[in-house]
Amino acid sequence: MKNLDTKTSINWLKYASPKTFYPLAGKLIPWCVIGAVGLIVYGLYIGLFVAPTDFQQGEGYRIIFVHVPAAWFSMFLYLLMAMYAGLGLVLNARLSYMMATAIAPTGAMFTLVALVTGSLWGKPMWGAWWVWDARLTSELILLFLYIGYFSLQAAIDDKNRADKASAVLALVGAINVPIIYFSVKWWNTLHQGASVSLMKAPAMATVMLKGMLVMAIGFWLYSIAVILIRVRCEILERDSKAAMFNLGL
Amino acid sequence: MGFLASNHVLIADNLVGVRGERLLFEKLNFELSNGTVLYLQGANGTGKTTLLRTICGLSKPYAGVVNWCGEDINSLAEEYFKHVLYIGHLPGIKEDLTALENLKFSLALSGKAISANQATEVLNMLGLAKGLNLPTRMLSQGQKRRVALARLWLQELPLWVLDEPFTALDVNATSLLKQKIEAFANEGGIIVMTTHQEVTLNVPKFEQLRLDA
Amino acid sequence: MGFLASNHVLIADNLVGVRGERLLFEKLNFELSNGTVLYLQGANGTGKTTLLRTICGLSKPYAGVVNWCGEDINSLAEEYFKHVLYIGHLPGIKEDLTALENLKFSLALSGKAISANQATEVLNMLGLAKGLNLPTRMLSQGQKRRVALARLWLQELPLWVLDEPFTALDVNATSLLKQKIEAFANEGGIIVMTTHQEVTLNVPKFEQLRLDA
Amino acid sequence: MPKTKLTQELGTFSVLYRILARDIKVALRRQSDVTAVFFFFIIAASLFPLGSGADPKLLSAMAPSVLWVTALLSCMLSLSRMYSSDYADGTLEQIMLSNQPTVLIVLMKILAHWVLSGLPLVFVAPLIGLQFNLSSAELQILAVSLLMGTLALSLIGSIGAALTLGIRGTGVLIAILVLPLYIPVLVFGAGAVNAASIGMSPNGALSLLGAVLAMALVFAPLASAAALKIALE
Amino acid sequence: MPKTKLTQELGTFSVLYRILARDIKVALRRQSDVTAVFFFFIIAASLFPLGSGADPKLLSAMAPSVLWVTALLSCMLSLSRMYSSDYADGTLEQIMLSNQPTVLIVLMKILAHWVLSGLPLVFVAPLIGLQFNLSSAELQILAVSLLMGTLALSLIGSIGAALTLGIRGTGVLIAILVLPLYIPVLVFGAGAVNAASIGMSPNGALSLLGAVLAMALVFAPLASAAALKIALE
Ligand code: HEM
Ligand SMILES: Nc1ncnc2c1ncn2[C@@H]1O[C@H](COP(=O)(O)OP(=O)(O)OP(=O)(O)O)[C@@H](O)[C@H]1O
Ligand SMILES: Nc1ncnc2c1ncn2[C@@H]1O[C@H](COP(=O)(O)OP(=O)(O)OP(=O)(O)O)[C@@H](O)[C@H]1O
Ligand SMILES: [Mg+2]
Ligand SMILES: [Mg+2]
C-alpha cells in the first residue's frame, strides 16, 4: 500500500472534453457573428421599411419584429439551458454545465428585451405600461427563474457544487414553464386578443412572417456566438485556476 | 459479535481526490480486510477529511472507485450504508434533544431499535450520567463528543470511519475510546481513522498512510 | 516588546462558577503576574471553558471578582479588553473572507492597523501560503484554526486566554504554537490556557489548576 | 463486552415514523418554532389593513390575495429551518448514510414541515378572513385551497431549502429561488377564493391546484434528495 | 521575533470605518446577499396582482399598502443575517472584546445593513409602483417615505436580531418580535403615500415618521448592544 501521489498536474483539458471544443468554437464564432449582423440588419430593414404601415396601429406595431423573436428566444433558451443542465447531471460532463451557465445571461437578456419592448408597445395599445395578464406575467416569471439561477450560482463559490445545484434548479424550473404557459386559459388574456386581431390582416401576414423569421434566425446566430464566447472564457478561467493551484501558488 | 464474523474487504482503487481546483491525492490504492486499522496521517489540509468522506460515500471521488466486498459503493448505494459508521468533525447530535434521545435516533437511522436501559448503560459508562436529562446544548464540548461517540458501543456495523475521534476528549474518555477501538478490531472490524495525537493501538493489523502536500 | 515591559497582575478573588443549576467551581483564588502560564486541567465538563470566559469578561461569575492590575474588570469594561486576547472553541473568522482579510479585521477590532506584507509573512510562517486568496470556508479544519491563531503573532496584548488552542493542529503547527507561547511568557506575558493534550512548557512560572467534578 | 445482539432491527416504516416524530419533537421542544409561523401569519396579515386605511370594500376585495400571499410568505420564512440545523450539526450526513432511501426520508422531513407550519394556517386563515369581511362560502374555499396549497408549498419549498444549504444569508436566497415556483400554487389557490367571491365555481382552480400538488409530490422529494446530496459533497 | 512595534494604533473613527467597510465587503463578495433583498422585494410585490386577478383600479388602491408592507418584509427577512454569522463563527465575541464602545460598533453594523438592504429599495420601489399605475406624485412620496422608513426599520430590526441570536429557526421569531415595533413606521410611511394619492398633504405623516426615526436612532443601538451582551453570556 503506497501513496503514489507524485503531484503531476491534472490536465484539465484532457479530463473534460473542452479540449476539442475550444478550438472548434473559436472557428464557429466569426461566422455566427457575421450571419447574425447580416440577418438582423436585413430583418430590421424589412420591419422598418418593407412592411406596410398598419392601418389600426400606425407605425408603433413595427416593434413586433423585435418583440416576438425576443419572446420566442427567451423561452427557447430556457429550455435549452435546462436540457444542458440535465445532461450535465446525468453524464457529469463539465462542458454541459458550462453551456448551461453560458446560456443563462443571453436568455435573461431576451426576456428583458421582450418585457421592455412589450411594455413600450403596451403604453399606446392598452394605455398602460403593464397589465397583469397571463402572457405578460408568465414572461416575468421566466425572468425570475433566470434570476434565481444566477443568484444560486453566485452564492455558491465551489464551482463544482454551483454547477450541480443550479442544474437541479434549472430542471425544476423547466417543469414549471408549461404549467405557467397553460395557465393562460384560466386568466384574463388581454395579450392574446391583441395579437390575434393583428394577425388577421392577411395582406400583411407574409411580409411580417418573413421579417420575424429573419430576425429570429439572426437572434439565433447571435445567441450561438455569444454563448460560445462565454464558454471559451469559462474554459480558460477554470483552466488557469487549475494551473495556478497545481503550481502551488 | 455476529456481524463481524463474515469476511469484509474495503478496497480503494486508484482514487483521485480534488477539492475546488486542487489535487489532493492521486492514484491511491489500498485494501483493508477484517481486523485492520488504517491510520491516515498528514499535515493540516492534505485531504484526510476528504478521503474519509469519499470512503464512506458522502463525496464522490474525482476518479477511481471504492469497493466494498467486491462491489462499487456507488452502485451499492443505501446497501453500503448498512455497513458504515461515520463520525466526522461535526458531532451529528441535535442540541435540543437529550443525550438519550439523540442516541436512540442515531440508531433508528440505521434501522436499529434499542431499549432505554441499554442506552443509558452506555451513556453512564461514558461518564454522562449527570447530564442524561439535559438538552445536549448544555453539555461541554467534550461531553457532546462523548454523546456522538456512544454509537460506537451500540451500532453493530463492520466498518468505522472516524475523523479525529479524540478531539476534545479528556484522558479518561480517550482511553475508553482506545480500548473500544482495539476490541472492535480484534473481533474483526475494519477502521479508517485520522488523528493528530499520538496513538499506539494494539490491533491485528495496523497500517499507516501518509498524505502529503 | 514594549507592551510587556510594565507589570501586570491578574487576580481571581473567590470566584464561584455556576452553569444552569450546577456549581462548577467555588472559592477559586489565584494571582498571576508577568511570565506566568496558568494551565487549567480537568475532565470534560468540569468548567474550564466557563472559567476562561469569566476571566476575559464574557461571562459574569456567580460570585467573586476578577481583578486586572488592581481593578475589577467589570468596572474597567472596554478598558480591560485592550489587554486581553481570547481564542475560544470557535475560530472567530469569517468564512467568506480570505485569511489575510480576517487577520486584518481582527487587528482592527483591537484598534491596530497592520501592513499586508507583515500579515502575509505571519500567515506564510504558519503554512497558509497556498490558501492566501481562498475564502477561509475552503480551508481544512486545521487551517482554519491556524488563521484564528495568527493573531497571537501580531496582536500585542499582555494577557492571553486560550481554550484548547492545540485542537486540530498537526505536529508542525503544534510546535510553532508552543514556541510562541514560551517566547511570550519569557518576555513577560500572562497566559491562561487549557488543553487535553500533554504539554511541557519551558516558561518562567508554570502553574496548574485542576477543576474537579 | 456482551456477545448477544444489542439491538433489534427496525422496518422501513418504523424508521420513517421515527424521523417524522423526531422532527416534530424537536420543534415542540422549542415551542417558539411552532407558534412562530402562526403568529407571523396573523401579524403580517394584520399589517395590510394598517397600511391601507380602513375602507371595508377595499379590504374584502384585497382579502383573497392578501391572505394567500401572506400564507405563502409564512411558509417560505420557515423553509430555511427545514434542513439547515441538521446540516450544521452533522445530523444530515448521518441521515444520508442511513440505510433507508433518501427520497423517503426527505418526504418525512417535508411532511414534518407541513404539519408544523402549513397545517396550522388552514385553521387560522378563516379566522383572519372574518376580519376582512369574507363570506362563509369564501372562507370554506380558503380553507380547502390552503389545505392542498400549503402541502404543495412545503414540497416545492424543500427544493429551495436543500439547494441553498450551507450558504450564508440563506433566507432571502431561498425566497428568490422558490417564489417563482410558488406562483402556480398562488394563482390557483387565490383564484379559487376569488372565483367563490364573485359567485363562480372554484372547482376548476381547485382541480388545477390538485394537479400541481400531485406533480410536486412526485418530483419535489426527488429533486430535494438530489440537492441534498450535492450540498454534502 | 522583531522587537520593534509591529502595528500602528488606529483611532475610533478608523476602527468604525473598517467595521462598516468589512460588512459591506463581505456582502459584496457574495453578491447574492445584496441583490437578494432587492429581488425579493420585486418578486413579492408582483405576487399580489397574481393573487388578485387583474383589476387595475383595485391594484392601484392596494398599491401603497402592498408596496410598504413588502418593503417592510424584505428588510425584515435580511435581519437574521445582521449578527448571526458573526455570532456563529465567534467574530462577535471578538467584537465585544474590542476596545471601542459597543454602541458605536453596533451602529456601524446597522448602517451597513441599511446600505445593503434598505437603500436599494428606495430606488426600485418607484419602478414597481409604475406597474401598479401610481401617479408621479405618489411615486415621489413613496421614495421619500421609504428613505426615512427603511433606516428606521434597520435600526429597530437590529434589536430583534440581537435578541434572537443563537436561537435556531430565527427567521420567524425575529419577525414576531419586530413586526409590532414596525407598525408605527408602516402606518406613517404608507399613510404619507395614501395621503398623496387622495390629494392631501403627506407632510404630517412624514414628520411623524421623522420622529420615529429620531427615537430609533437614539435607543436602538443602545438596546441592541445590551441584547448582544446578554446573548453572549
Ligand atoms: C410587457 C409586455 C409584453 C410581454 C411580456 C409580452 C410577451 C410576449 C411573449 C412571451 C410572446 C411569445 C408568445 C408565443 O410565441 O406564443 C409574445 C408574442 C406576441 N406579442 Fe407580446 N408581450 C407584451 C406586450 C405586447 C403588446 C403590447 C402587444 C401588442 C398589442 C404584443 C403583441 C404580441 C404579438 C402579436 C405576439 C406574437 C403572436 C403570438 O404568438 O400570439 N405583446 N409576447
Ligand atoms: N448553557 C448552559 N446551561 C447549563 N449548563 C451548562 C451550559 N453550558 C455548559 N453547561 C454545563 O457546564 C459545565 C461546564 O462546561 P464547560 O464548557 O465549562 O466545561 P469544560 O471544562 O470546558 O469541558 P470540556 O473539556 O468538555 O470543554 C458542563 O457540565 C455543562 O454541562
Ligand atoms: N469546499 C472546498 N472548496 C475548495 N477547497 C476545499 C474545500 N474544502 C476543503 N478544501 C481544501 O481541501 C484541502 C483538504 O481539506 P481536508 O479538510 O480534507 O483536509 P484535512 O487533511 O482533513 O485537514 P485537517 O487536518 O486540517 O482537518 C484543504 O487544503 C482545503 O483548502
Ligand atoms: Mg480534517
Ligand atoms: Mg471547554
Side-chain angles (χ1 to χ4, degrees), chain A residues 89-157:
Chain A
L89 282 177
V90 174
L91 306 176
N92 199 9
R94 225 162 288 271
L95 186 58
S96 246
Y97 291 128
M98 291 188 204
M99 283 297 285
T101 314
I103 290 172
T106 310
M109 186 207 70
F110 279 125
T111 314
L112 205 62
V113 169
L115 282 170
V116 170
T117 53
S119 46
L120 285 179
W121 196 3
K123 188 64 182 173
M125 290 303 298
W126 306 327
W129 297 105
W130 186 262
V131 285
W132 289 98
D133 136 295
R135 201 28 95 59
L136 275 59
T137 309
S138 66
E139 192 70 9
L140 192 61
I141 294 172
L142 196 62
L143 184 64
F144 294 159
L145 287 174
Y146 278 118
I147 290 171
Y149 183 85
F150 295 143
S151 309
L152 186 61
Q153 220 162 32
I156 304 176
D157 31 28

